[in-house]
Structures are given as structure tokens and as C-alpha cells.
Amino acid sequence: MKTPEEVFPEYFLIRVNEFNDVATTPIEEWLDYLKNGRIKENTTTPGLAEAMKETARNLKSIGMPSEDIAKVTGLTLEEIKELS
């Protein structure tokens, strides 16, 4: 049987319920997205822009109007139109 160190060589314990609303590092931006569904407009955090587009794609697939998707995700109507 493997020990936790062999399965998870490095890990972090994060108390999300005490997370403040100012995301400054990539991990904080991911936590803000996971906790509140927010992504900063000018984010450079790897994967968050793709997560925002995936959210928009999912909302579009269930028939949500593009204007509402734009409000939720911050994407432009043209960006939403280009999603497959």
C-alpha cells in the first residue's frame, strides 16, 4: 500500500471559507473561480480563459441567450458566436 507522500508528493490545505475576495495569485484566481464563478477580465492564470469559454459553451448548448452568457462570463457576443 502506498503512503500519502507517494501518491501526493506535495499538497496544500486551503481553507476556502476564509478566502478573501481579492485574488492576486494564480491559485487564488482559481479558488475565486471555483468558489464564486468569477474570472478576472485580464487574467493570465493558465487555464482560466479556457474555463470561461467552456462555461459559455455549456450555457450556449442548453439554449441560454447569448446576451445572458455575455453577462455571466464577460465574453463579447462575437466571442460567444464563435464558440462551437
Side-chain angles (χ1 to χ4, degrees):
M1 176 180 240
K2 291 185 178 185
T3 65
E5 293 82 16
E6 293 171 320
V7 177
F8 302 105
E10 183 177 349
Y11 56 92
F12 300 91
L13 297 177
I14 302 169
R15 296 183 67 169
V16 176
N17 58 338
E18 293 182 8
F19 177 70
N20 64 21
D21 289 333
V22 181
T24 57
T25 65
I27 189 73
E28 290 175 336
E29 286 193 34
W30 266 106
L31 288 173
D32 191 34
Y33 169 66
L34 295 172
K35 181 180 178 191
N36 303 311
R38 293 186 301 223
I39 299 175
K40 292 184 346 185
E41 189 174 310
N42 59 349
T43 187
T44 58
T45 299
L48 276 183
E50 292 81 6
M52 185 181 343
K53 287 181 181 179
E54 185 62 26
T55 298
R57 193 175 291 114
N58 290 339
L59 293 173
K60 187 176 179 181
S61 73
I62 62 169
M64 181 179 270
S66 294
E67 293 79 14
D68 293 339
I69 296 171
K71 289 177 190 175
V72 170
T73 63
L75 295 174
T76 66
L77 292 174
E78 186 167 310
E79 288 173 313
I80 295 166
K81 183 180 177 183
E82 292 173 359
L83 296 173
S84 54

